[in-house]
Amino acid sequence: MYDAEGHNAPINPLPPVVTLLVVLIAAVEAIFQLGEAGIIGGATGAAWRIMIADQFGFSNAAVYLMWDTGQYPPELMLRFVSYMFVHANFVATLFSVVFILALGKFVAERVHWLAFLAIFVGSGILAALAQAIVMGPTKAMLGAGAASYGLIGALSWILFTEQRAAGQNGLRAFRLIAALGVLLAVFSILFGGHDWFERVAGFFIGFGICAALRPVAGAGLTYWRDRMRRGRDMDI
């Protein structure tokens, strides 16, 4: 019997913007793995991860240097974005890829691709800035952890608005971040570290950016424009 759906792919296609981010992160890690295995790069290949991290990782010290000197060279400003694509090890890369694949598909299918990039990159940039202010000049950051948690924030906002639109209280939208928050607390207690702050910051920033770009049921920025117009009309 002819199957009308037989031509469909067994795996749902990913939005191009999600594919692009995953490919970039995976490509960087693949180069590191090949270098560490001695397949490329010769004697220096094993040190590529450290070298690239030093050059493109986010450095709190660099931020404080820019503040102190009042100069913002492009090579240091670039670190606000480039650090998201350089991870400390293979496991960290794997976690980022899994998060982006799982969460990115849901979010990217419900917002414009530019809004998706704004959520991902904006969460990474602002979370890095927030942790630099809070943690001081000695810390550094690598990986897409904060940006990935920004996607969790966006997911939470989307689910919240959809559940409220369906007449529900919307609290179920925060179950994922609650579970991940418990895991973060456990890992911080057992293994130490302060990366929990940048991830929590990424969540709230992603939540806020998505709320601004997709206020209610996908209305977009026109929602805020209409609200402002109604407010001006009421004042008149």
Side-chain angles (χ1 to χ4, degrees):
M1 181 180 294
Y2 174 71
D3 181 7
E5 302 297 329
H7 63 280
N8 288 349
I11 300 176
N12 292 330
L14 290 170
V17 66
V18 176
T19 302
L20 175 62
L21 290 175
V22 169
V23 168
L24 288 175
I25 292 173
V28 172
E29 183 60 32
I31 293 173
F32 292 154
Q33 291 296 321
L34 292 173
E36 292 169 4
I39 298 175
I40 60 175
T44 63
W48 279 354
R49 189 187 300 272
I50 296 175
M51 294 167 58
I52 296 299
D54 286 342
Q55 186 173 358
F56 294 101
F58 185 83
S59 169
N60 289 14
V63 174
Y64 280 82
L65 176 64
M66 288 189 287
W67 287 341
D68 291 340
T69 61
Q71 299 180 4
Y72 301 88
E75 60 271 18
L76 293 184
M77 296 295 293
L78 177 64
R79 290 171 178 255
F80 277 94
V81 176
S82 61
Y83 87 92
M84 303 177 210
F85 301 92
V86 182
H87 291 74
N89 50 57
F90 174 78
V91 173
T93 304
L94 182 62
F95 271 98
S96 290
V97 167
V98 170
F99 266 70
I100 295 170
L101 287 174
L103 304 170
K105 177 176 173 57
F106 181 93
V107 176
E109 288 177 343
R110 288 161 175 78
V111 301
H112 193 276
W113 69 270
L114 285 174
F116 180 88
L117 279 181
I119 293 167
F120 185 86
V121 177
S123 297
I125 291 174
L126 295 178
L129 181 61
Q131 71 81 29
I133 295 172
V134 173
M135 298 299 180
T138 60
K139 195 176 181 297
M141 284 177 63
L142 287 175
S148 298
Y149 269 65
L151 294 180
I152 300 175
L155 168 72
S156 300
W157 171 258
I158 293 171
L159 290 176
F160 176 76
T161 57
E162 290 180 352
Q163 290 170 11
R164 290 297 298 271
Q168 303 171 11
N169 62 20
L171 293 180
R172 289 188 302 166
F174 301 98
R175 288 186 299 183
L176 177 59
I177 188 58
L180 291 173
V182 172
L183 288 177
L184 271 177
V186 171
F187 274 100
S188 297
I189 293 172
L190 294 179
F191 304 107
H194 299 286
D195 61 344
W196 63 269
F197 179 86
E198 63 210 40
R199 293 173 187 268
V200 172
F203 168 81
F204 283 106
I205 293 167
F207 187 91
I209 294 176
C210 191
L213 298 179
R214 190 186 188 274
V216 176
L221 293 176
T222 55
Y223 174 85
W224 299 118
R225 183 194 63 194
D226 294 341
R227 285 286 299 270
M228 293 176 64
R229 286 178 176 174
R230 288 197 298 268
R232 288 197 300 267
D233 293 340
M234 291 178 63
D235 291 340
I236 295 174

